[in-house]
Amino acid sequence: EAIAVSMVSKRKKIPGIYWFLEKFERETDLIHFPGKSALLYLISSFVVFLLFEKDIAMASILILALGNSISHLVGRFGSMKHPFTDNKFLEGFIAGLILAFIGAYVILNNALEAGLGAFIAMLVEGFEVKFKGKKIDDNLMIPIVAGVVIWIVRLIF
């Protein structure tokens, strides 16, 4: 359904749906692939549930949902440039990290797992990672990176 809505939204402004896309979608995605962020969010959520235990998957999705969302919202008002990218701000990173940690901690009840998972995932969000010349969307990277980090921490400690 999401792909069908995206295809229709590329040609027609569906009432209600277009309002959300216009407010929350990146401008280039609104033109070329409406709903891309939401679709990649669903795909990455599915992937982490396939790869990890339920609590790790849920914490990873919360890191994406809370950390990535708030980092973009707070970052709009930021003034200190992020050290790894020119189009993001340190205030957004810090706010995203705090909320990502809180969300992960509620699920995991382990500060080390939640802290490292949130920190590394939000750090990766600041990088522009490319594969074969194409940027990998942070909605795919964040939960997978968070899940791997939490899983490794759990193995080691």
Side-chain angles (χ1 to χ4, degrees), residues 112-130:
L112 184 61
E113 290 176 1
L116 284 175
F119 180 74
I120 301 297
M122 293 307 297
L123 199 62
V124 166
E125 190 247 359
F127 289 100
E128 189 169 296
V129 179
K130 291 185 177 184

Side-chain angles (χ1 to χ4, degrees), residues 9-10 41 47 62 70 73 83-85 90 106 109 120-121 125 128 134 142 144 149-150:
S9 294
K10 192 172 177 180
Y41 182 102
V47 168
L62 276 175
I70 201 69
L73 292 173
F84 304 127
T85 181
L90 204 51
V106 166
N109 199 29
I120 301 297
E125 190 247 359
E128 189 169 296
K134 294 198 177 204
I142 291 172
I144 294 169
V149 170
I150 294 166

Side-chain angles (χ1 to χ4, degrees), residues 8 17-18 20-21 26 32-33 54 63-64 66 68 70 78 88 95 107 110 115 121-122 128 140-141 147-148:
V8 171
I17 292 175
Y18 186 77
F20 278 101
L21 291 173
R26 293 178 182 108
H32 301 290
F33 191 163
K54 186 177 177 182
I63 289 171
L64 171 63
L66 299 174
N68 192 36
I70 201 69
K88 295 182 182 181
I107 299 297
N110 182 309
M122 293 307 297
E128 189 169 296
L140 282 177
M141 286 191 318
V148 168

Side-chain angles (χ1 to χ4, degrees), residues 33-140:
F33 191 163
K36 176 182 173 185
S37 294
L39 184 61
L40 294 177
Y41 182 102
L42 290 172
I43 290 169
S44 65
S45 297
F46 180 71
V47 168
V48 294
F49 270 108
L50 288 176
L51 295 176
F52 304 109
E53 296 173 41
K54 186 177 177 182
D55 63 332
I56 294 175
M58 289 172 33
S60 299
I61 293 166
L62 276 175
I63 289 171
L64 171 63
L66 299 174
N68 192 36
S69 300
I70 201 69
S71 73
H72 289 290
L73 292 173
V74 171
R76 291 179 179 180
F77 305 103
S79 60
M80 295 184 290
K81 286 286 187 184
H82 193 290
F84 304 127
T85 181
D86 290 334
N87 61 351
K88 295 182 182 181
F89 294 92
L90 204 51
E91 295 91 342
F93 167 77
I94 293 167
L97 175 59
I98 291 167
L99 259 119
F101 168 76
I102 291 169
Y105 184 77
V106 166
I107 299 297
L108 300 169
N109 199 29
N110 182 309
L112 184 61
E113 290 176 1
L116 284 175
F119 180 74
I120 301 297
M122 293 307 297
L123 199 62
V124 166
E125 190 247 359
F127 289 100
E128 189 169 296
V129 179
K130 291 185 177 184
F131 180 73
K132 293 188 177 184
K134 294 198 177 204
K135 183 180 181 258
I136 300 175
D137 193 282
D138 56 3
N139 285 349
L140 282 177

